[in-house]
Amino acid sequence: MTRAAITGEPVPLGEADLTRLCDLLYRQTGILVPADRRPFIERRVRERMRATGAAGLPEYLARLRSDAAGEVQLFVNAFTVNETYFFREAHQLHCLTASLLGAVTAGRDRSDPIRIWSMPCATGEEPYSLAIWLLEHWPEVDCWEIEIVGSDIDTRALAAAEAGRYGARALARLPPDLVARYFTAEAGTAVPSWRILPELRGSVRFSRRNLVDGPGMAQEGRFDIVFCRNVLIYFDDASRRIAADTLFSALRPGGFLCLGHTESMDRIPSRFRTRRFPEAIVHQRPEDAREGDAP
């Protein structure tokens, strides 16, 4: 007889099972879940067990091994963090229009598109913020072809990004006139929500990409500016090195990488050059750096 049998409480996951599940998440995403987050791990796993109807952990692990009904992706989705909002880390948006785009377009033919990547993009607030910011703050926006791509590993988040529906919390930092200009209020919803205009939704292309999957990331081609914010904090040094190499390859020579304000390349060897602009500190792929150069 066990306490769980009497009280109905779930049986705790064994250490070996937890290790196996965390290893799978790490192999798939590069995300390292620390041991002190055991309740978080167990909660997410039990949610997936209920969703799949698995009678117990052995049955659920069998589903993962066989990837039945795409369960590996759904397992990954359960562990991703999609907390964001419009105009997050606005100092980098100021830097984009005040400094970075001037450097990117200097001496450049206007037939050559400007490419900007938001990776990971979560539910779309960040790439849509880039589009709105450019329309509002860059006088040359109509003189260039601009391609904005939003990518994420979480397929649920990407579906939400493509739908472009947001609540008051996501829009809280947008001035009311911008909300009125770029969103329409949705009628008949239990919770107030707004949908971004179709023209703006069409200005961003979304794709599923994994930051530690170099070949998959390379399929997107090279970009002038990459925003990769608040994801490296979940990586260990080994995953961070892989991500840094992938991001380096994703940039054109002279291109810029914007990380989150709590992140840096200090803990790993890096081929990036740190650039200090009045608005923000960013990382640049040197103009003369070659793909195979050692850090």
Side-chain angles (χ1 to χ4, degrees):
M1 181 178 295
T2 65
R3 175 181 173 83
I6 297 173
T7 65
E9 296 175 1
V11 178
L13 300 182
E15 291 298 331
D17 295 326
L18 279 175
T19 299
R20 190 180 311 169
L21 290 163
C22 290
D23 285 348
L24 171 62
L25 183 67
Y26 182 78
R27 291 195 306 272
Q28 290 290 324
T29 68
I31 296 173
L32 186 67
V33 181
D36 60 4
R37 299 197 69 192
R38 180 184 183 122
F40 168 78
I41 301 168
E42 292 203 7
R43 185 167 62 252
R44 292 293 188 264
V45 172
R46 294 192 188 285
E47 287 171 358
R48 291 309 310 154
M49 289 172 61
R50 286 194 295 271
T52 59
L57 187 62
E59 182 179 332
Y60 181 66
L61 290 172
R63 285 177 177 270
L64 282 173
R65 284 193 295 271
S66 65
D67 197 19
E71 182 56 29
V72 171
Q73 177 63 60
L74 297 174
F75 172 78
V76 168
N77 289 355
F79 282 87
T80 55
V81 179
N82 296 313
E83 177 65 25
T84 187
Y85 45 84
F86 282 85
F87 283 15
R88 187 179 191 178
E89 304 206 30
H91 64 288
Q92 291 185 344
L93 299 177
H94 283 281
C95 189
L96 171 66
T97 48
S99 300
L100 302 187
L101 285 170
V104 164
T105 58
R108 184 163 173 169
D109 192 295
R110 293 196 175 183
S111 63
D112 187 5
I114 298 169
R115 304 192 74 222
I116 304 175
W117 202 1
S118 175
M119 170 70 193
C121 70
T123 47
E125 290 91 334
E126 298 206 15
Y128 288 136
S129 289
L130 295 172
I132 293 172
W133 187 270
L134 290 173
L135 290 168
E136 291 292 317
H137 297 279
W138 196 39
E140 296 189 54
V141 67
D142 292 326
C143 302
W144 295 86
E145 181 183 346
I146 302 170
E147 181 183 0
I148 300 175
V149 178
S151 299
D152 203 279
I153 196 174
D154 187 336
T155 53
R156 295 173 310 171
L158 289 169
E162 290 179 333
R165 290 185 175 90
Y166 300 100
R169 183 175 180 179
L171 302 176
R173 298 200 178 190
L174 284 181
D177 62 311
L178 293 191
V179 176
R181 194 174 305 158
Y182 295 107
F183 297 81
T184 56
E186 295 201 299
T189 57
V191 177
S193 65
W194 292 259
R195 193 171 194 193
I196 203 159
L197 294 179
E199 296 81 4
L200 202 56
R201 291 203 308 274
S203 71
V204 178
R205 176 173 63 82
F206 292 98
S207 64
R208 183 192 177 278
R209 296 297 175 197
N210 186 338
L211 193 53
V212 295
D213 174 16
M217 293 277 284
Q219 292 177 20
E220 293 290 350
R222 288 189 173 175
F223 291 81
D224 298 290
I225 303 168
V226 174
F227 287 82
C228 182
R229 304 190 287 195
N230 305 306
V231 63
L232 298 184
I233 54 175
Y234 299 106
F235 287 6
D236 64 359
D237 285 351
S239 295
R240 196 174 286 113
R241 279 192 293 272
I242 295 171
D245 287 342
T246 301
L247 291 167
F248 185 90
S249 298
L251 285 168
R252 290 175 168 175
F256 296 98
L257 170 66
C258 299
L259 299 176
H261 71 278
T262 62
E263 300 169 306
S264 73
M265 295 289 182
D266 292 345
R267 289 171 54 188
I268 60 172
S270 174
R271 290 173 284 174
F272 290 96
R273 178 179 300 151
T274 301
R275 296 290 307 275
R276 297 176 184 273
F277 291 99
E279 308 83 14
I281 298 173
V282 303
H283 304 274
Q284 184 178 29
R285 173 173 172 157
E287 290 275 3
D288 56 353
R290 296 172 299 176
E291 199 62 40
D293 287 348

